Amino acid sequence: MPITIIVLGVILLLVLMIVFKVNGFIALVFVSAVVGIAEGMTPLNVMASIQKGIGSTLGGLAMILGFGAMLGRLVSDTGAAQRVATTLIAAFGKERLQWALVVTGLIVGLAMFYEVGFVLLLPLVFTIVAAAGLPLLYVGVPMVAALSVTHCFLPPHPGPTAIATIFGANLGTTLLYGMIITIPTVIVAGPIFSKFLKSFEKSPPEGLYNPKIFTEEEMPGFGISIFAAVIPVVLMAIAAVFELTTPKENPLRQFFEFIGNPAVALFIAVVIAVLTLGLRNGRKMEDVMDMCGDSIAAIAMIVFIIAGGGAFKQVLVDSGVGNYIADMMKGSSLSPLLMCWTVAAMLRIALGSATVAAITTAGIVTPIIAVTHADPALMVLAVGAGSVIASHVNDPGFWLFKGYFNLSVVETLKTWTVMETLISILGLAGVLALNAIIH
């Protein structure tokens, strides 16, 4: 019955948004309340759950989205993004731009959560699209696929690292296996899949990039342009290294953990961009601050829709759907790797959050490792693969992709959802292949 209620809730949400054109945030909050009450929650508990979901989602993302939008707007409106874009186009050529963005996405994705890398890199994608005259999804999907794959498979990304810690898996082994799976997965889900998306002719949402074409004299140098864009990545990567190699009480580790926090790192980057790309190039502080203010206005509705997705996810968690699915899987005769993937996939589809699905699955299947002597590193990767399948309307990431790529709900299902499912299935195939070879 709980699964049936979720399915009916998702159908209701799609009907409201596609047929009746209801605003995404309004539809998500309404359906969250309907599903929560249908699952047996009291109206007061449903409201508390919705508020908790919105608060927890925005609590982790508000500053990241805000500072990320400011940084993106500063990099865009000062000509820095165009400088980076024209340099990449000259170095790789139009026909190899996708591969440049895949490599960029993998490097950036290693150090930060998916949402941070997404917000940080999208202004660069928008500028490349404008400069090279290529379709938005054709350029953007390879980068997004690379970010998503690191979220599944590659330490020191926080997700795989946390699961590896729970399973007692060696991080070096997990990274090695993860890289073997990552390469073919990102090629298929990124550059190859994006070739089928040229028919989706979309323009970036207004306000999230600057369509102005700068002259050579107006643009800052490549060095300072790339520095302003990647400084958050550098700070977060350093923090990740210290977390893996030094004791928790080490003062240097604590310092870098602070400045490597995604919100702090992006704030530092915004300050640097204001000074180097704005004031240093002769712009007035008032004009630079106007850029920052305009960037927040541009993402306001995107933020609310993401929050609505967080509310839906929290209602599903608080109503006990996760426990229901876990009970269904007890006593199953599936292989450990398939069980990990299946539990994570079911939780992902039901709950929306890849992180919640992965961590919940880790708690459910950890005892299996001792009993079956399964390879802990492969178990980590199986969970990661399952946790990204079939992202749909209960996943805040779905709405992030929809908003920034200016898509309808149906178009997002045809693009983002299919891409995430490709990554999941290819990841499972890679895990099973590695298991057959190694063991």
Side-chain angles (χ1 to χ4, degrees):
M1 188 62 179
I3 303 300
T4 304
I5 292 171
I6 293 172
V7 171
L8 292 175
V10 170
I11 292 172
L12 173 61
L13 182 63
L14 294 174
V15 169
L16 287 173
M17 295 191 64
I18 297 171
V19 178
F20 295 102
K21 310 298 182 185
V22 176
N23 174 273
F25 178 67
I26 295 173
L28 281 163
V29 171
F30 175 72
V31 171
S32 299
V34 171
V35 169
I37 291 171
E39 293 282 7
M41 298 175 69
T42 67
L44 287 176
N45 286 340
V46 168
M47 277 309 303
S49 188
I50 289 173
Q51 291 170 349
K52 179 181 178 183
I54 291 174
S56 62
T57 300
L58 292 186
L61 284 180
M63 286 196 297
I64 291 171
L65 290 172
F67 289 139
M70 290 180 191
L71 180 61
R73 190 64 178 262
L74 287 167
V75 169
S76 173
D77 282 13
T78 59
Q82 185 180 321
R83 172 66 75 186
V84 173
T86 54
T87 304
L88 283 174
I89 293 170
F92 286 88
K94 284 178 67 171
E95 68 279 2
R96 290 188 294 273
L97 268 178
Q98 289 182 310
W99 300 103
L101 287 167
V102 164
V103 173
T104 303
L106 289 173
I107 293 171
V108 170
L110 280 173
M112 61 183 68
F113 285 104
Y114 171 83
E115 293 86 355
V116 185
F118 186 98
V119 173
L120 189 65
L121 291 179
L122 253 292
L124 175 61
V125 170
F126 294 157
T127 306
I128 290 176
V129 166
L134 294 170
L136 176 58
L137 287 165
Y138 177 78
V139 175
V141 163
M143 183 274 293
V144 174
L147 288 173
S148 189
V149 167
T150 60
H151 182 85
C152 304
F153 304 131
L154 299 180
H157 188 282
T161 302
I163 303 169
T165 302
I166 294 171
F167 285 169
N170 181 276
L171 282 173
T173 304
T174 304
L175 178 60
L176 176 62
Y177 292 170
M179 285 301 301
I180 294 171
I181 295 172
T182 288
I183 294 170
T185 299
V186 79
I187 289 172
V188 174
I192 292 178
F193 176 59
S194 67
K195 293 183 188 299
F196 297 94
L197 305 178
K198 289 185 178 180
S199 60
F200 292 89
E201 291 289 347
K202 296 291 178 179
S203 299
E206 293 183 10
L208 291 183
Y209 85 115
N210 189 349
K212 175 185 175 181
I213 302 300
F214 293 87
T215 66
E216 184 70 22
E217 292 73 24
E218 289 176 320
M219 291 186 289
F222 177 75
I224 194 63
S225 298
I226 199 71
F227 176 74
V230 303
I231 188 63
V233 182
V234 173
L235 293 176
M236 284 182 261
I238 293 173
V241 170
F242 272 92
E243 287 176 23
L244 293 173
T245 58
T246 58
K248 194 169 185 178
E249 60 276 5
N250 186 299
L252 203 56
R253 168 178 168 171
Q254 293 175 1
F255 170 74
F256 280 109
E257 280 184 338
F258 171 70
I259 65 171
N261 176 282
V264 177
L266 282 166
F267 174 74
I268 292 171
V270 168
V271 173
I272 290 173
V274 167
L275 296 174
T276 59
L277 302 179
L279 301 181
R280 187 181 177 188
N281 283 350
R283 291 177 173 83
K284 296 179 181 178
M285 177 63 81
E286 183 180 358
D287 294 333
V288 176
M289 290 299 104
D290 283 343
M291 295 180 194
C292 295
D294 291 343
S295 70
I296 298 300
I299 66 166
M301 186 47 66
I302 294 174
V303 170
F304 270 96
I305 291 174
I306 292 169
F312 193 17
K313 176 262 298 181
Q314 192 63 46
V315 166
L316 296 177
V317 172
D318 292 346
S319 65
V321 171
N323 294 332
Y324 178 82
I325 293 173
D327 290 339
M328 286 175 56
M329 297 305 299
K330 285 181 180 176
S332 173
S333 59
L334 285 175
S335 76
L337 296 174
L338 273 174
M339 179 176 284
C340 280
W341 183 86
T342 303
V343 173
M346 293 178 70
L347 288 169
R348 159 67 157 184
I349 293 169
L351 304 178
S353 169
T355 302
V356 171
I359 298 300
T360 304
T361 301
I364 294 169
V365 304
T366 296
I368 297 174
I369 297 177
V371 175
T372 63
H373 304 290
D375 188 322
L378 290 178
M379 294 276 278
V380 172
L381 301 177
V383 171
S387 72
V388 296
I389 195 169
S391 166
H392 60 99
V393 293
N394 62 354
D395 176 18
F398 176 94
W399 302 103
L400 188 70
F401 186 91
K402 175 188 178 298
Y404 274 84
F405 282 93
N406 210 13
L407 301 170
S408 68
V409 171
V410 172
E411 289 169 336
T412 310
L413 289 168
K414 291 179 179 178
T415 53
W416 162 260
T417 303
V418 173
M419 184 200 75
E420 290 283 87
T421 302
L422 272 175
I423 291 171
S424 180
I425 294 172
L426 291 168
L428 174 64
V431 167
L432 296 177
L434 272 177
N435 187 58
I437 294 169
I438 296 168
H439 303 289

